[in-house]
Amino acid sequence: MIDLSKDLLAAAEANVIGLAVIGADRSMQRKIGGLVEWLPAIGIDCCECMLLVGMEAELAALASGQRDMIALAGVRGASPDITQPMTAVVLWNGAQSHYFVIAMPDFAGRQVETLLGSERRARRLMEQQLEAASAEVRFASLARTRLRLARDLHDTLVHSIVALLTQIRLIRHYLSADPSRVADSLATAEDAAASGLGRAREAIARLRMPDDWKLDPDVEGQLSDFATRSGVRVSIQIDEEARAGLRDCGLTVQRILSEALRNVQTHAQARRVSFHAFDEPAAVGRKLVVEIRDDGRGFDPAVPTPGHFGLIGMAEFAELVGGSCAVESAPGQGTLVRISLPVAVPPVASAGVLAD
């Protein structure tokens, strides 16, 4: 077993790696180095961390010897100070009855074998990270997918539970202060539960959807449903030359549009939303540009919002297909989401060959 004080403590104190100790009861006991700042504060259950939420069974299996480790690949966005992908490994120290976490930048993957002192463990870690794929592109895709799952759970279950707790507290207050309002509050709580259930089902459907599945996009229907549900006035403009690109990039556009509309309904307090899709020349080939604009209250993109991953997720969805997603906003000035995605250019027919 690794002696933390001798083998890893110096590296953690030099901020080369991050090191944390978690008690058998999952409470945080010690954190060393900036690479583990994404873990909860001392004394807090480690499973309250976004990347470990719902992993109680995996931790129990680790402590009982049913598995060797838990690998968290591509940790990014969990802390404002973490700007690059990072790998974290959770191990069990049976001699001292505690878990310990080692976090390191992904470029130090080959150092994992030396730090853990076991070729077998290093091989299993790489298999979990890459799912038997050695390409860095595949690794990046898997890491982003894991973050997408975490955000989907955060944006459905966490938000819905918070809304229900708020209504429950109001109901408790009205029981003694104004019983006549209890019925309305119960109806609001029921609506919050139904809305949360619907969003959870949508998230589950997204989790079961293969990333390479090409949809026939119905963004107009998506926008129409949003207008009906929210009461926000929606205008749609899709240039004819953009429809092929919109069809080819349908899955990515739908994901980003869904997150943008959720932000409008939850935060913007907007009255109008416009959707414009058009085609532009690119350095190589063509690109689809989609602009989603609202007249809401806006925000300052430079101000960090810990615990919120929607904007990060929108950018990552675009990056997965070689595109980009930029957000422009300012307090009182509304918000513009601009998506730019490369689209395939059909081959030019050879001379003398007639296209159907």
Side-chain angles (χ1 to χ4, degrees):
M1 181 57 62
I2 296 173
D3 185 338
L4 300 184
S5 62
K6 293 181 179 179
D7 297 333
L8 300 177
L9 187 57
E13 290 175 343
N15 214 31
V16 175
I17 64 171
L19 182 63
V21 177
I22 302 171
D25 60 353
R26 303 197 309 271
S27 64
M28 292 300 308
Q29 295 185 355
R30 189 178 183 189
K31 296 193 297 182
I32 307 172
L35 296 182
V36 290
E37 285 304 314
W38 49 274
L39 286 165
I42 301 303
I44 303 299
D45 189 331
C46 69
C47 287
E48 292 191 15
C49 164
M50 176 61 62
L51 297 173
L52 291 174
V53 66
M55 298 188 70
E56 291 85 354
E58 287 86 345
L59 290 169
L62 186 62
S64 64
Q66 298 178 38
R67 60 186 301 168
D68 292 328
M69 68 180 67
I70 298 173
L72 305 173
V75 179
R76 187 177 71 179
S79 171
D81 296 329
I82 299 177
T83 59
Q84 61 179 345
M86 182 181 68
T87 294
V89 181
V90 184
L91 300 169
W92 172 253
N93 187 330
Q96 300 182 21
S97 297
H98 64 229
Y99 303 92
F100 61 94
V101 180
I102 304 173
M104 68 207 75
D106 283 343
F107 64 77
R110 290 191 174 274
Q111 297 178 7
V112 173
E113 183 175 354
T114 302
L115 294 172
L116 299 181
S118 167
E119 181 180 355
R120 177 176 59 87
R121 286 183 174 178
R123 183 169 61 252
R124 289 188 179 182
L125 173 62
M126 295 304 294
E127 288 173 354
Q128 289 182 7
Q129 288 180 323
L130 307 180
E131 296 181 352
S134 60
E136 288 296 327
V137 172
R138 176 61 177 166
F139 171 79
S141 176
L142 293 174
R144 291 189 181 103
T145 298
R146 183 178 180 86
L147 287 175
R148 173 171 64 85
L149 305 188
R151 282 190 298 273
D152 282 342
L153 293 176
H154 175 271
D155 290 342
T156 54
L157 298 180
V158 174
H159 286 181
S160 300
I161 291 172
V162 169
L164 283 174
L165 284 175
T166 300
Q167 291 303 316
I168 290 171
R169 289 167 184 153
L170 282 173
I171 293 169
R172 184 181 294 117
H173 169 73
Y174 290 146
L175 281 173
S176 58
D178 189 358
S180 64
R181 303 184 65 177
V182 170
D184 290 340
S185 295
L186 285 172
T188 302
E190 184 177 4
D191 289 343
S195 175
L197 180 60
R199 292 174 62 186
R201 285 172 173 165
E202 290 176 2
I204 292 171
R206 288 195 297 271
L207 302 188
R208 296 176 61 87
M209 184 185 301
D211 283 343
D212 58 354
W213 185 24
K214 297 295 185 182
L215 298 180
D216 182 12
D218 182 18
V219 296
E220 292 172 287
Q222 189 176 358
L223 289 162
S224 177
D225 290 344
F226 168 77
T228 302
R229 183 176 66 253
S230 66
V232 176
R233 183 182 302 175
V234 176
S235 63
I236 305 172
Q237 179 182 351
I238 301 176
D239 294 359
E240 192 61 35
E241 63 271 18
R243 291 190 178 275
L246 193 60
R247 181 173 58 252
D248 293 341
C249 303
L251 180 59
T252 299
V253 172
Q254 284 181 321
R255 284 172 169 172
I256 298 175
L257 177 60
S258 177
E259 182 63 36
L261 294 179
R262 183 180 298 119
N263 289 338
V264 170
Q265 185 171 7
T266 305
H267 306 294
Q269 299 178 359
R271 293 176 298 176
R272 292 186 297 275
V273 169
S274 65
F275 177 95
H276 184 198
F278 54 95
D279 189 69
E280 279 189 354
V284 177
R286 310 287 295 176
K287 63 181 178 181
L288 169 71
V289 179
V290 175
E291 293 184 344
I292 308 161
R293 189 186 301 270
D294 69 69
D295 65 349
R297 61 183 183 179
F299 66 100
D300 185 354
V303 176
T305 55
H308 296 273
F309 305 102
L311 298 183
I312 296 174
M314 291 161 65
E316 289 179 341
F317 286 147
E319 290 171 4
L320 284 174
V321 295
S324 64
C325 177
V327 178
E328 300 175 10
S329 186
Q333 301 298 316
T335 299
L336 169 65
V337 176
R338 193 174 198 272
I339 310 165
S340 178
L341 305 174
V343 294
V345 178
V348 178
S350 301
V353 178
L354 297 178
D356 290 336

